[in-house]
Amino acid sequence: MVLNDYFDFEKDLVERPERPIPSGQISRKATFNFGFALLVGGVACAAIAGLLAQASSGLAVSRSTGIALILVIFVVLYDGPAKSTWLAPFIMGTCRFFNLLLGASTIDSSQFIPTEF
């Protein structure tokens, strides 16, 4: 949401000048830095969650981290250059898909695979 407000600055100057960024209560640079810090923190949390879920294997860490990084790319695409294009609904759907996939990425799928028939 922070990056959404950052990228919507020009629009908010006209339509919502009382909001914190257009009114100057919060600088655009601080908004940008905080938004990307949140994204980095989210990727770090995904890596930690993967590590905790699969302490014996690095697979979940790379899986969770990879999914989180893909999600970051689509979030930035949606909030930034693609928001006002015909691609926006597809990119938002992709964000939701990877968000769900990120939650499932820490599941140990080997528990669901039968070892004997």
Side-chain angles (χ1 to χ4, degrees):
M1 291 177 67
V2 174
L3 289 177
N4 182 55
D5 286 351
Y6 171 81
F7 285 113
D8 282 351
F9 175 74
E10 298 294 330
K11 183 178 178 181
D12 286 346
L13 272 176
V14 175
E15 296 179 8
R16 298 176 208 92
E18 72 283 353
R19 296 195 62 173
I21 301 168
S23 69
Q25 294 172 328
I26 301 172
S27 73
R28 284 195 78 207
K29 182 178 180 180
T31 305
F32 180 84
N33 291 339
F34 186 59
F36 274 92
L38 288 171
L39 290 176
V40 170
V43 172
C45 287
I48 292 167
L51 181 64
L52 292 174
Q54 299 278 331
S56 63
S57 165
L59 178 61
V61 174
S62 62
R63 182 173 51 213
S64 297
T65 305
I67 292 169
L69 288 170
I70 293 169
L71 179 58
V72 163
I73 291 167
F74 281 100
V75 165
V76 172
L77 273 174
Y78 177 78
D79 285 339
K83 186 179 226 173
S84 58
T85 70
W86 63 271
L87 287 171
F90 300 104
I91 293 174
M92 176 52 75
T94 304
C95 287
R96 291 179 179 180
F97 170 75
F98 279 104
N99 191 34
L100 180 65
L101 197 59
L102 179 58
S105 68
T106 59
I107 295 172
D108 181 7
S109 59
S110 67
Q111 296 177 20
F112 303 106
I113 300 172
T115 56
E116 294 180 20
F117 290 98

